[in-house]
Amino acid sequence: MSLLGKLISLYPALHVSMILVSLVWLVFEPGLIPLLTIPGVIYLFPLLSYHFHQVLAPVEEGNSSITGGYSPWYGTHMIQTVFIAFPGTERILRLFPGLFALWLRCWGSRVGRNVYWTSHFELADRGLLEIGDNVVFGYNAKVSCHFISPSRELGLKLYTKKCVLEDGAFIGAAARLAPGVRVCRGALVKAATDVYPDTVVEKK
């Protein structure tokens, strides 16, 4: 791993430390500013970090190596790690209609209207989604816009590609979508289905 990779791997620890410091500040000095600092550190700090990182090292779709030089995807993954490790931080957002969709748009995803997210929806890559209107995600549905596999040429090969869910798509409970999946307009992904990379799911 490159030096930059080692440095960015410290980001989750930094993020958690900042959250803990802001909580301690609120306990010892109750007030509006310490109170507002907590959501700012939890949500705004990584969001700004992500966009700054995208300017310096944007994530590109396709194949790359995460063991050679610096991997932009790895950097963005470290920035999002707290949300993956502590899913409750985003489940709170899904309690308020439209807030989670707005959150994903802030990361660079395209999200339509009237999208239904269950509380246990899981997402690995917040900036790599295209979701149409009236899309439904069942309980414990999971979307990952990347996968990693061993490779003789690249060491560890990373494949990254957006997932596209068109208007009216229905993702059944416990279904798992891989990178590059396209779920066509009105199509159904059955519950507990693994949809492999670059698969097109059409309406039947």
Side-chain angles (χ1 to χ4, degrees), residues 111-193:
V111 183
R113 297 170 297 174
N114 302 319
V115 177
Y116 177 76
W117 325 83
T118 58
S119 60
H120 283 70
F121 169 71
E122 291 188 19
L123 176 63
D125 305 280
R126 283 150 189 78
L128 293 171
L129 286 179
E130 291 188 14
I131 302 175
D133 299 335
N134 305 308
V135 173
V136 175
F137 291 92
Y139 181 85
N140 207 30
K142 301 178 181 181
V143 178
S144 177
C145 299
H146 77 276
F147 75 80
I148 299 171
S149 61
S151 168
R152 290 183 179 179
E153 295 81 13
L154 299 175
L156 287 178
K157 184 181 75 172
L158 168 71
Y159 179 66
T160 307
K161 193 172 182 180
K162 288 183 179 180
C163 288
V164 179
L165 291 79
E166 298 180 359
D167 294 350
F170 191 104
I171 313 304
R176 298 189 297 182
L177 307 187
V181 166
R182 176 180 290 272
V183 182
C184 296
R185 183 184 182 94
L188 165 67
V189 176
K190 294 182 179 179
T193 299

Side-chain angles (χ1 to χ4, degrees), residues 23-96:
L23 290 171
V24 171
W25 184 23
L26 179 63
V27 170
F28 285 96
E29 294 186 25
L32 181 60
I33 293 178
L35 181 63
L36 294 177
T37 299
I38 295 172
V41 170
I42 293 174
Y43 300 105
L44 186 59
F45 174 66
L47 184 60
L48 294 176
S49 299
Y50 175 83
H51 284 288
F52 181 71
H53 186 279
Q54 283 289 83
V55 171
L56 298 179
V59 175
E60 297 181 357
E61 295 182 288
N63 293 315
S64 62
S65 171
I66 62 171
T67 53
Y70 182 72
S71 168
W73 172 85
Y74 180 77
T76 62
H77 184 67
M78 289 296 100
I79 292 171
Q80 299 173 73
T81 293
V82 166
F83 303 119
I84 298 169
F86 303 100
T89 54
E90 289 185 320
R91 288 176 185 169
I92 293 173
L93 302 179
R94 292 197 283 273
L95 296 175
F96 302 93

